Amino acid sequence: MFRFRIRLLSTCVVAVLAFGLHGCAQHTTSGPLSLARQGSFFVGGRNVQSDTLSVLPQYASAGTIAVDQMYVRYQVPSNANRRPITLIHGCCLTGKTWETTPDGRMGWDEYFLRAGHPVYVVDQAWRGRSAGNISVINSTRLGKAPAAQLPPVFAASQESAWAIFRFGPEHPKVFPGMQFPIDAMPEFWKQMVPDWAQTLPTPNPTVPALSELAVKLDGTVLMSHSQSGIYPFQVAALNTKGIAAIVSIEPGACPSPTSDLAPYLKMPILVLWGDYVDLSSRWSPRLKLCREFAAAANKAGGKVENVVLNDLGMPGASHMLMQDLHSHKIADWLLAWIERNK
Amino acid sequence: MFRFRIRLLSTCVVAVLAFGLHGCAQHTTSGPLSLARQGSFFVGGRNVQSDTLSVLPQYASAGTIAVDQMYVRYQVPSNANRRPITLIHGCCLTGKTWETTPDGRMGWDEYFLRAGHPVYVVDQAWRGRSAGNISVINSTRLGKAPAAQLPPVFAASQESAWAIFRFGPEHPKVFPGMQFPIDAMPEFWKQMVPDWAQTLPTPNPTVPALSELAVKLDGTVLMSHSQSGIYPFQVAALNTKGIAAIVSIEPGACPSPTSDLAPYLKMPILVLWGDYVDLSSRWSPRLKLCREFAAAANKAGGKVENVVLNDLGMPGASHMLMQDLHSHKIADWLLAWIERNK
């Protein structure tokens, strides 16, 4: 125990020398990492038939494919003594969100692992390593379907994402004090992928898959972000079993304060926000709705915290706060919150 | 050293008891795994402009996106004492190919790691966590481009993939003695994703990205499969620097025996095949071409081995041999080949 503390101290001292106070992590970010086990699997999914899987002679056009499954990569540390954390990325991104930051620092996936949590990183259904269905593209190409039926798949432009992710008020202006590693922006843009979410039903197939995963893990913290911010709440509405806690980071929406709040009274809930929200016409109404949700849920007997990082002395957080320069400091606070609410 | 041997022996004995001889692995598949470091990053990529990134009001239609980058996840074991291995998946699949098998056994990614190799797993450009460009879909939807210009993206049907992957002569017949974990087939089908390769130039953008990675690693074994089987050869034609060896598993093509063979004389090369190739009109000409390539390259002073697993006493291998029931036994042989050819 004494040696462990010495190691933490030295990591922190080195970090302070190298990066200033922001880099001072409570948990070690160096030295060997011992895993009890790791691997990957899929949850959910269903078979669908199509006769326009291909327009190429070398691949059959008709047959069966599996869609809606959710890819999960997991690691369990040898010293696992805490709840599994399930990390769910947001719009136009994949599980890469939680891995190595664009400027090469340790991602939350490993940081949480080193703190004793098993970590499960998913790719949402139809994103990354989770397959979607492209049949209608070929149907249109073959004249079997009108162009209007093409899926509204979209790619977030770097210019528009700049303001949405609150790197600044508009591209390429930067908010004063903003903590995203702006020099590594080109590496961040490479994380973005096309998003098919608008072609999918509500709730997104990721939601029942997350429920199945939570039940399987028999207790996990569902940690979501942005587009997926609402998912853990939708999972709870489906089935509260297996949800140890919800951490919703800058959700695109919170449940309505006038909705059935019963599912959200059964687990501790944290809604976490970065900086500059009041300067964003996109985000400020969302923060307001989440405050109203928290008040209503707490009035009904729930335990919901709606926290802005500035109020914790951690200003400058962007929407991609898990990649910000002070991401490990934010992670430390999150780990302590999870520990307090276990 | 003595204790290490005891451990290998016991793993092997347990495996024999549980699975028969096929499961007898030379390297340990249990116990804690110690990593020196791990993480992920992108290689390559370029920015492109588009005015049809979105047809949704909430996302701008015009702007810049990054495409052609290659996602790489890596792990370096604490006992790293061998060359890095770069694992490159095939058609309609992602890096998941090399991870946990459909029936839940350890994938080659970790198996090679436990043998002392740093392991780099990629998602090909435009696949998995590596973004493609969907602009033309929206252009067509908006009437700005004709349907004939839609990309020939395709999804391999389970029925057609059955014969292509040589699980049997045709769906759902199974070759006698075939070693793919057939009971876990539904989990395997979930690995398959849409494939945009036919919309990409030759060589695929994955190829220059692999070259950049090989140079960065200053010596890596490029291990490819099926569609990507030809990629390491294309990397060598581009630049032989950083290629310690090529292991091409059931390649869709080998270089032509009448092409410029100079790049392929500079490193050891293995082309590896499973069973039932002669029974497949798709695969038997490919094996023939690779034999001709090997003969021509060896005549020119190269060191190319073209090996069929049956000739090594490992019959029953499917096209997905890295997931077959005897996958660890095959991996042992591959590890020994790499060691012999370092």
Side-chain angles (χ1 to χ4, degrees):
Chain A
M1 187 62 188
F2 180 70
R3 284 180 61 193
F4 186 55
R5 280 191 179 158
I6 290 290
R7 181 186 230 169
L8 289 186
L9 182 68
S10 67
T11 302
C12 189
V13 168
V14 170
V16 169
L17 292 174
F19 306 110
L21 260 175
H22 285 327
C24 179
Q26 282 178 25
H27 297 271
T28 177
T29 53
S30 61
L33 169 67
S34 182
L35 299 178
R37 60 187 189 277
Q38 65 174 352
S40 63
F41 57 88
F42 292 92
V43 181
R46 64 193 172 93
N47 280 343
V48 296
Q49 310 292 322
S50 168
D51 60 359
T52 55
L53 295 174
S54 165
V55 293
L56 302 164
Q58 63 268 44
Y59 290 97
S61 55
T64 309
I65 57 170
V67 297
D68 291 0
Q69 60 272 16
M70 178 180 78
Y71 169 78
V72 185
R73 182 177 70 81
Y74 72 94
Q75 295 188 302
V76 178
S78 293
N79 66 338
N81 54 6
R82 296 184 177 186
R83 289 274 194 209
I85 300 177
T86 300
L87 298 170
I88 314 150
H89 63 82
C91 160
C92 321
L93 295 162
T94 71
K96 168 63 182 151
T97 296
W98 312 98
E99 299 177 351
T100 313
T101 65
D103 57 336
R105 288 170 297 113
M106 184 178 291
W108 281 7
D109 65 335
E110 184 172 340
Y111 197 81
F112 292 155
L113 198 69
R114 284 176 179 262
H117 291 275
V119 172
Y120 292 72
V121 179
V122 313
D123 281 351
Q124 286 197 36
W126 290 57
R127 201 93 56 82
R129 292 176 172 181
S130 305
N133 187 351
I134 48 70
S135 294
V136 69
I137 299 172
N138 287 325
S139 299
T140 306
R141 197 172 195 261
L142 294 167
K144 292 182 177 180
Q149 276 184 24
L150 280 169
V153 58
F154 67 99
S157 73
Q158 297 171 10
E159 294 83 355
S160 65
W162 187 278
I164 296 172
F165 292 163
R166 299 200 317 282
F167 300 136
E170 62 184 317
H171 182 266
K173 294 179 187 165
V174 179
F175 283 127
M178 203 272 303
Q179 293 297 305
F180 193 83
I182 209 92
D183 291 344
M185 203 58 87
E187 180 76 6
F188 172 65
W189 295 132
K190 294 177 188 177
Q191 296 187 10
M192 305 201 75
V193 298
D195 190 316
W196 300 75
Q198 298 293 326
T199 72
L200 300 177
T202 302
N204 186 295
T206 307
V207 170
L210 286 169
S211 179
E212 193 179 328
L213 179 63
V215 169
K216 179 180 169 177
L217 296 179
D218 195 24
T220 180
V221 178
L222 293 177
M223 188 176 295
S224 59
H225 178 234
S226 196
Q227 177 190 59
S228 75
I230 190 71
Y231 292 1
F233 298 103
Q234 293 172 330
V235 176
L238 203 64
N239 184 3
T240 58
K241 199 169 169 211
I243 310 176
I246 290 174
V247 175
S248 181
I249 299 170
E250 299 222 341
C254 275
S256 165
T258 59
S259 66
D260 174 16
L261 299 173
Y264 318 126
L265 310 181
K266 298 185 178 173
M267 71 287 290
I269 294 173
L270 172 68
V271 185
L272 189 69
W273 299 88
D275 206 341
Y276 320 108
V277 175
D278 293 343
L279 302 175
S280 165
S281 60
R282 181 183 292 257
W283 288 105
S284 54
R286 295 171 175 175
L287 172 53
K288 182 170 176 289
L289 174 68
C290 288
R291 282 190 172 125
E292 291 167 6
F293 161 71
N298 287 334
K299 194 175 171 187
K303 190 178 177 186
V304 181
E305 292 179 58
N306 191 85
V307 173
V308 180
L309 283 169
N310 297 51
D311 298 334
L312 302 174
M314 288 183 270
S318 76
H319 182 54
M320 296 303 298
L321 52 86
M322 69 293 287
Q323 301 181 355
D324 281 349
L325 292 169
H326 56 344
S327 61
H328 293 176
K329 197 174 168 191
I330 298 170
D332 288 335
W333 187 86
L334 273 176
L335 287 165
W337 185 91
I338 291 169
E339 193 62 14
R340 280 199 305 278
N341 289 277
K342 68 183 176 188
Chain B
M1 188 62 191
F2 180 70
R3 284 179 62 191
F4 186 56
R5 281 192 180 156
I6 290 290
R7 182 186 227 168
L8 289 185
L9 181 67
S10 66
T11 303
C12 189
V13 168
V14 170
V16 169
L17 291 173
F19 307 111
L21 260 175
H22 285 329
C24 179
Q26 280 177 26
H27 296 271
T28 176
T29 54
S30 61
L33 169 67
S34 182
L35 299 178
R37 60 185 190 279
Q38 64 175 352
S40 63
F41 57 88
F42 292 92
V43 181
R46 63 192 172 96
N47 280 342
V48 296
Q49 310 292 321
S50 168
D51 60 359
T52 56
L53 295 174
S54 165
V55 293
L56 302 164
Q58 63 268 44
Y59 290 97
S61 56
T64 310
I65 57 170
V67 297
D68 291 358
Q69 60 271 16
M70 178 181 77
Y71 169 78
V72 185
R73 182 176 71 81
Y74 72 94
Q75 295 189 302
V76 179
S78 293
N79 66 339
N81 54 6
R82 296 185 177 187
R83 288 276 195 206
I85 299 177
T86 301
L87 298 171
I88 314 150
H89 63 82
C91 160
C92 321
L93 295 163
T94 71
K96 168 62 183 152
T97 296
W98 312 97
E99 299 177 352
T100 313
T101 65
D103 58 336
R105 288 170 297 112
M106 185 177 291
W108 280 8
D109 65 335
E110 184 172 341
Y111 196 81
F112 292 155
L113 198 68
R114 285 177 179 261
H117 291 275
V119 173
Y120 292 72
V121 179
V122 314
D123 282 351
Q124 286 197 36
W126 290 56
R127 202 94 56 83
R129 292 175 171 180
S130 305
N133 187 351
I134 48 71
S135 294
V136 70
I137 299 172
N138 288 324
S139 299
T140 305
R141 197 172 195 260
L142 294 166
K144 292 182 177 181
Q149 277 184 24
L150 280 168
V153 58
F154 67 99
S157 74
Q158 296 171 10
E159 293 83 355
S160 65
W162 187 278
I164 296 171
F165 292 162
R166 299 199 318 281
F167 301 136
E170 62 184 317
H171 182 266
K173 293 179 188 165
V174 179
F175 283 127
M178 202 272 303
Q179 293 298 304
F180 193 83
I182 209 95
D183 292 344
M185 203 57 89
E187 180 75 7
F188 172 65
W189 297 132
K190 294 177 187 177
Q191 296 187 11
M192 305 201 74
V193 298
D195 191 315
W196 300 75
Q198 298 292 326
T199 71
L200 300 176
T202 301
N204 186 296
T206 308
V207 170
L210 286 169
S211 179
E212 192 178 329
L213 179 64
V215 170
K216 180 180 168 174
L217 296 179
D218 195 24
T220 180
V221 179
L222 293 177
M223 189 176 293
S224 60
H225 178 234
S226 196
Q227 176 190 59
S228 75
I230 190 71
Y231 292 2
F233 298 102
Q234 294 172 330
V235 175
L238 203 63
N239 183 3
T240 57
K241 202 173 168 208
I243 310 177
I246 290 175
V247 176
S248 181
I249 299 170
E250 299 222 341
C254 275
S256 165
T258 58
S259 65
D260 174 16
L261 299 173
Y264 319 125
L265 310 180
K266 297 185 178 172
M267 72 285 293
I269 294 174
L270 172 68
V271 185
L272 189 69
W273 299 88
D275 206 342
Y276 319 109
V277 174
D278 292 343
L279 303 175
S280 166
S281 60
R282 182 183 292 258
W283 288 104
S284 54
R286 294 171 175 175
L287 172 54
K288 182 170 177 287
L289 175 68
C290 289
R291 281 190 173 126
E292 291 167 5
F293 161 71
N298 287 334
K299 193 174 171 189
K303 190 178 178 186
V304 181
E305 292 178 58
N306 191 85
V307 173
V308 180
L309 283 169
N310 297 51
D311 298 334
L312 303 174
M314 289 183 270
S318 75
H319 183 55
M320 296 302 299
L321 52 87
M322 70 293 286
Q323 301 180 356
D324 280 348
L325 292 170
H326 56 343
S327 60
H328 294 175
K329 197 175 168 191
I330 298 170
D332 287 335
W333 187 86
L334 273 177
L335 286 165
W337 185 90
I338 291 169
E339 193 62 13
R340 280 199 305 279
N341 289 278
K342 69 183 177 188

